[in-house]
Amino acid sequence: MNAPISWIKEYTPISVNAKEFDADMTMSGSKVETVEYLGKDISKVVVGKVLEIAKHPDADKLVITQIDVGSETIQIVTGAANLNAGDYVPVALDGATLAGGTKIKRGKLRGVESNGMLCSIDELGYTKNDYPEAPDYGIYVFAEEQKTGADVVPILKLYEEVVEFEITSNRQDCFSVVGLAREAAATYRKPFTFPDTTVKERAGGNVADYISVSIQTENCLRYAARVIKNVKIEPSPLWLRHRLTASGIRPINNIVDVTNYVMLELGQPMHAFDIDNIARKKIIVRQAREDEVFVTLDENERKLDASVTVIADPEKSVAIAGVMGGENSKVTAGASAILLESACFSGVNIRNTSKRLGLRTDASSRYEKGLDPNLCVIAVNRAANLIELLGAGEVVAGVADDYPNPKKEVAVPYTRDGINKILGTEFSEKEIEEYLSLVEIKAENGVAAVPSFRQDIERAADLAEEVARLYGYDKIPVTLAGEATVGKRSQKQIIEEIIKNTLVSLGFCEAMSYSFESPKVFEKLLFPKDDRNTVKIVNPLGEDFSIMRTTLLGGILSSLSTNYNRRNEDAALFELAKTYTPRTGELPEERLALAIGCYGGNADFYTLKGVVEELFDKLGIKTEYAAANIAHMHPGRCAAVTGGYFGEIHPDVSKNYQIGERVLFAHLDAEVLLSNADLSRKYKPLPKFPAVKRDIAMLVPEDLPVAEIEQAIREKGGKFLSEVRLFDVYKGDQVEKGMKSAAYTLVLRSDEKTLTEEESSGTIGEILKNLETKIGAKLRS
């Protein structure tokens, strides 16, 4: 909703500037989007009087004028052909700025000095629609004598501060200047004056002699009309055109402009009919006939159906209710009498009609929100008042009004304690009544009488909101709503956060991919045919989104492929999301999984191994590795680990995803990580006593995993063994065929004393004995 501040000030005497108005209205609940300063660019444009006009010596289409600008007489060269001596015109002086920021400077035209420019209305930022008296081509000439040297901006009303409000749909009353002025009055504690709606019925006769009104549909709540005789259709005065233009509506003529003015001012759409085109002096509001054809004011033929509400006479439809009038009843220059319509229609019906016809207007956008039927007669009286004020016609006595179910004020009960409990305040009964009175809600003895224009207030909580915004949200003390509770993350959320933070700290970015996949992904991933059981979607968007993913691998590889093909030298991504595994006769199993993928940056198998180890260390999970053979992973460069696997992607899979780099990937069952995570940390002091280090080298079978060797060492290490480190594995001529040499550093330490030679040697002896008996290890000499 765009509203000129000067129009609002007409009903509420506020004195703040636009910036303060913006802040104050927003804080009281009427959010301001922007403030536009129309005409702010125009400067040093004054009234000048044409004293002389002479031909240019070197140009047939130019003339040399002498212009009195008050303080001096200046010479200006112009090509305008509509000037006469004695005319008063807008003059842009040397250094002036016009609409759009155009600068005017002194110069020469065909060798003759010109000290400024004479202005057309276009150069001042407006059009002939805004100033009908302006010529189609040429300089704007004032119709009356003006003071030379006077600033043209206030004379032509070129400057205006226009506020754009963001009005919520439940505040229908604020889609009007009056509604916003009422809010401004409440915000600044100023008196509010309603526009003059008194009507002087000078035409004689009675409205019943000219028209009758009948509502024959539940989609019309009220229909009111007045008759205006002796109509004079002409351009509206400058003040009215200026307000319409500033609000974003193009002026047309005085009758149409009045209906638009009232719509902006009161929020009630209106329409004018040529009464001579209304058959049998009767207006009927009914549903359209099936396949009825109707030509609207925009000269488009529209096919209606029974869901559309129309305004009709006994012979034909004359308007689509709440949307647009008809070509067959529009007001033309020859009209001698008009019918002014002010009605209230069902918001739902108007919205459906507008959508069905693809026709949305300023009127329909207001009706859609649901209007107050009590506003109808007020609006038609205001329009009649303005028509009389403009001398555009004479008003016939009476209003034709059909109002089947009059709407009354709503009584909303409330309690002081209830409102204070909602707000966390301690307002007295009197204070609550005073705040509500600011918005014309009469509260007394625990009952609030809500005026019909406030359709958004239905319960005590709505009243509390009114009190809060008028008191000031920023002034309400901070209190707990209800009993105090302490919120915290669950164990699952904590572990998920640790996983994400750890990977981000290691240089990985979180990725998100669709849960839907294409069945073709299994071919690209080289999955065995017996490992392609999926959950199929009943109504997929297409084949590419027809199954639920069973692995996060496809999503990560697609993202890495995008990065690679956009020439990113390296990429490191992870995704923590669900996979879906089908189960017979049951809903699919949804398991949380973690995928980690990267390429570039000299990353290799051991890079990813370090990432996995760091993650497991943060989660307090002991890491155990084993060789793994997985179809989509590189043979010999893949390891199984607690809850999953990691390693290098098979080169064929990388090729299928058009990635020309070594791709490292890990897939972990996050459910396993969640269940095995141990976030407890115990303090252990630094050792006080020295350690004993012993290196041992042994011969073991070549295919024996070193993990089994370490397990055998730890089994007999007892309480003194604190560390086991593998530092060498050797295969070659120095050892017999089928064997390998594995060398370890063993660290022995006691927290209570310095170990004796007997104690340390005894522990080493037990370890060597267990290695020999359990795995057949032989100590190398």
Side-chain angles (χ1 to χ4, degrees):
M1 171 72 191
N2 293 340
I5 291 182
S6 62
W7 199 352
I8 293 174
K9 288 181 177 179
E10 185 173 313
Y11 309 126
T12 300
I14 54 177
S15 56
V16 297
N17 60 39
K19 189 174 182 180
E20 293 174 311
F21 183 77
D22 174 349
D24 295 339
M25 292 294 284
T26 298
M27 286 302 296
S28 68
S30 302
K31 185 176 184 298
V32 174
E33 281 289 296
T34 58
V35 178
E36 185 178 3
Y37 301 88
L38 301 180
K40 68 175 180 178
D41 294 336
I42 299 174
S43 65
K44 294 188 73 175
V45 181
V46 301
V47 175
K49 182 179 180 180
V50 181
L51 300 179
E52 296 179 15
I53 303 175
K55 288 187 176 181
H56 194 290
D58 296 320
D60 294 338
K61 295 184 178 181
L62 297 178
V63 294
I64 304 169
T65 63
Q66 304 299 319
I67 309 293
D68 176 12
V69 292
S71 59
E72 59 179 326
T73 299
I74 62 175
Q75 178 174 287
I76 295 178
V77 179
T78 180
N82 66 315
L83 292 179
N84 295 294
D87 286 346
Y88 290 87
V89 296
V91 180
L93 303 176
D94 178 37
T97 304
L98 301 182
T102 303
K103 299 285 186 181
I104 302 301
K105 292 184 178 180
R106 180 186 289 113
K108 288 185 178 182
L109 287 177
R110 289 291 184 93
V112 176
E113 185 175 342
S114 183
N115 298 303
M117 188 177 81
L118 306 183
C119 301
S120 68
I121 202 65
D122 292 335
E123 288 157 340
L124 297 176
Y126 289 85
T127 67
K128 187 173 172 61
N129 286 321
D130 305 310
Y131 295 85
E133 69 276 14
D136 291 327
Y137 304 99
I139 303 304
Y140 181 84
V141 178
F142 290 98
E144 299 175 354
E145 181 180 334
Q146 304 289 336
K147 181 181 177 181
T148 57
D151 188 353
V152 303
V153 170
I155 296 173
L156 289 176
K157 299 187 181 298
L158 301 177
Y159 181 76
E160 183 63 82
E161 296 171 335
V162 180
V163 182
E164 181 186 353
F165 288 90
E166 181 186 320
I167 309 298
T168 54
S169 296
N170 66 322
R171 288 302 305 271
Q172 305 92 332
D173 57 303
C174 286
F175 282 92
S176 66
V177 174
V178 162
L180 295 170
R182 189 183 281 118
E183 287 295 306
T187 300
Y188 292 104
R189 312 301 195 259
K190 297 286 186 180
F192 166 70
T193 304
F194 199 83
D196 185 9
T197 59
T198 58
V199 181
K200 296 178 181 178
E201 299 167 331
R202 302 176 186 271
N206 189 275
V207 69
D209 301 329
Y210 296 88
I211 202 74
S212 65
V213 174
S214 173
I215 296 175
Q216 298 179 4
T217 173
E218 61 182 12
N219 289 323
C220 182
L221 309 180
R222 188 178 191 182
Y223 193 98
R226 268 191 178 276
V227 175
I228 311 295
K229 292 181 61 180
N230 302 321
V231 175
K232 300 175 184 177
I233 297 178
E234 56 190 12
S236 300
L238 179 59
W239 65 267
L240 195 154
R241 298 197 311 267
H242 172 72
R243 284 187 173 172
L244 291 179
T245 300
S247 301
I249 291 183
R250 180 171 62 91
I252 298 176
N253 61 52
N254 51 2
I255 299 301
V256 176
D257 291 351
V258 162
T259 60
N260 285 331
Y261 186 92
V262 172
M263 178 181 69
L264 293 172
E265 184 180 56
L266 300 180
Q268 172 64 51
M270 297 189 65
H271 188 65
F273 299 100
D274 186 335
I275 203 165
D276 291 337
N277 292 328
I278 306 299
R280 300 186 220 172
K281 300 180 180 181
K282 187 170 185 178
I283 285 288
I284 302 168
V285 187
R286 59 171 173 80
Q287 295 305 116
R289 299 182 181 93
E290 201 66 40
D291 297 329
E292 181 177 350
V293 177
F294 182 73
V295 180
T296 47
L297 278 172
D298 58 4
E299 299 182 359
N300 286 322
E301 188 176 275
R302 303 183 187 276
K303 191 173 182 180
L304 312 182
D305 60 25
S307 69
V308 177
T309 305
V310 296
I311 313 301
D313 60 26
E315 298 176 3
K316 62 186 179 301
S317 295
V318 294
I320 299 175
V323 180
M324 186 176 283
E327 180 71 16
N328 59 7
S329 61
K330 69 179 181 180
V331 177
T332 60
S336 60
I338 61 171
L339 179 74
L340 283 180
E341 164 199 282
S342 178
C344 184
F345 303 106
S346 162
V348 174
N349 179 257
I350 297 302
R351 177 171 175 78
N352 290 337
T353 296
S354 179
K355 186 176 180 181
R356 181 193 174 282
L357 299 177
L359 181 62
R360 199 163 190 266
T361 61
D362 288 324
S364 68
S365 66
R366 283 171 165 79
Y367 277 122
E368 287 173 5
K369 295 167 179 64
L371 299 182
D372 176 17
N374 291 334
L375 190 59
C376 291
V377 170
I378 296 172
V380 78
N381 284 340
R382 174 59 172 164
N385 170 278
L386 289 170
I387 287 174
E388 185 183 54
L389 178 67
L390 301 180
E394 297 176 354
V395 184
V396 173
V399 178
D401 184 18
D402 191 359
Y403 194 5
N405 300 297
K407 187 174 183 178
K408 300 178 181 179
E409 288 185 340
V410 176
V412 178
Y414 72 93
T415 63
R416 170 184 172 273
D417 291 342
I419 287 181
N420 282 326
K421 185 176 180 181
I422 291 172
L423 302 179
T425 53
E426 295 181 0
F427 292 123
S428 66
E429 186 74 37
K430 184 178 180 182
E431 287 175 316
I432 292 173
E433 292 175 2
E434 288 175 351
Y435 283 122
L436 294 177
S437 68
L438 293 173
V439 286
E440 302 182 24
I441 298 174
K442 298 176 183 178
E444 189 176 12
N445 298 325
V447 177
V450 181
S452 59
F453 63 81
R454 287 303 303 272
Q455 300 182 51
D456 59 307
I457 298 179
E458 301 175 343
R459 55 185 71 82
D462 299 326
L463 297 174
E465 181 183 5
E466 295 299 298
V467 172
R469 70 184 184 87
L470 295 171
Y471 172 68
Y473 291 119
D474 55 325
K475 298 177 184 177
I476 296 177
V478 176
T479 57
L480 285 171
E483 297 181 3
T485 58
V486 178
K488 63 178 182 179
R489 289 188 176 130
S490 66
Q491 181 75 358
K492 177 176 178 291
Q493 290 172 324
I494 291 171
I495 294 172
E496 288 179 2
E497 194 71 15
I498 291 173
I499 292 172
K500 292 181 179 181
N501 288 341
T502 301
L503 291 172
V504 169
S505 71
L506 294 171
F508 288 78
C509 295
E510 184 173 9
M512 297 181 70
S513 57
Y514 288 115
S515 299
F516 311 126
E517 280 190 328
S518 167
K520 296 177 182 177
V521 73
F522 294 121
E523 295 292 338
K524 295 174 69 176
L525 294 177
L526 306 183
F527 269 40
K529 293 189 180 298
D530 58 354
D531 198 14
R532 300 183 183 186
N533 191 18
T534 61
V535 178
K536 295 179 176 60
I537 299 171
V538 176
N539 55 342
L541 296 173
E543 186 184 11
D544 289 345
F545 303 95
S546 60
I547 63 170
M548 301 298 289
R549 65 186 175 196
T550 58
T551 174
L552 303 182
L553 175 58
I556 285 290
L557 286 179
S558 295
S559 299
L560 291 176
S561 175
T562 300
N563 278 272
Y564 180 80
N565 287 288
R566 293 186 181 177
R567 301 190 178 182
N568 286 334
E569 293 182 359
D570 54 70
L573 304 174
F574 75 90
E575 182 172 11
L576 184 63
K578 288 184 177 180
T579 59
Y580 305 85
T581 305
R583 293 186 293 191
T584 305
E586 297 182 68
L587 290 173
E589 181 185 13
E590 300 182 24
R591 289 189 71 84
L592 192 65
L594 172 64
I596 306 169
C598 64
Y599 72 80
N602 297 320
D604 59 15
F605 175 87
Y606 295 102
T607 304
L608 191 57
K609 178 175 180 287
V611 170
V612 173
E613 285 181 346
E614 177 68 12
L615 177 62
F616 278 36
D617 182 64
K618 285 287 191 295
L619 296 175
I621 300 174
K622 291 183 178 181
T623 315
E624 294 184 1
Y625 305 104
N629 185 17
I630 300 173
H632 56 267
M633 301 299 289
H634 193 298
R637 298 180 187 174
C638 179
V641 70
T642 305
Y645 61 90
F646 70 91
E648 185 178 325
I649 289 291
H650 197 289
D652 289 345
V653 176
S654 299
K655 185 177 179 181
N656 290 341
Y657 280 88
Q658 299 179 336
I659 305 174
E661 292 269 1
R662 175 186 297 180
V663 180
L664 287 308
F665 177 76
H667 199 283
L668 304 173
D669 188 336
E671 305 284 356
V672 173
L673 301 185
L674 291 172
S675 59
N676 286 277
D678 181 6
L679 304 184
S680 61
R681 295 292 184 267
K682 293 181 180 180
Y683 167 74
K684 186 176 182 179
L686 291 173
K688 296 179 180 180
F689 302 99
V692 175
K693 293 183 180 179
R694 296 287 177 87
D695 293 340
I696 61 171
M698 67 204 80
L699 292 173
V700 295
E702 185 178 2
D703 58 353
L704 181 69
V706 292
E708 292 187 23
I709 301 173
E710 184 174 332
Q711 183 181 1
I713 292 173
R714 292 188 180 280
E715 282 179 0
K716 295 299 180 179
K719 62 180 181 179
F720 295 147
L721 181 65
S722 63
E723 192 175 348
V724 179
R725 291 199 301 265
L726 175 69
F727 69 84
D728 183 55
V729 175
Y730 174 74
K731 300 177 186 177
D733 296 338
Q734 302 300 318
V735 297
E736 61 185 273
K737 191 175 180 180
M739 303 293 284
K740 64 182 176 181
S741 171
Y744 285 85
T745 295
L746 309 182
V747 180
L748 308 177
R749 189 194 306 273
S750 171
D751 294 333
E752 300 172 353
K753 62 179 182 176
T754 300
L755 292 176
T756 65
E757 176 63 25
E758 184 180 350
E759 289 171 327
S760 58
S761 296
T763 300
I764 295 297
E766 289 294 322
I767 292 172
L768 293 175
K769 184 178 179 181
N770 192 53
L771 287 169
E772 184 178 0
T773 57
K774 187 168 185 178
I775 62 174
K778 296 178 183 179
L779 189 65
R780 291 185 66 192
S781 57

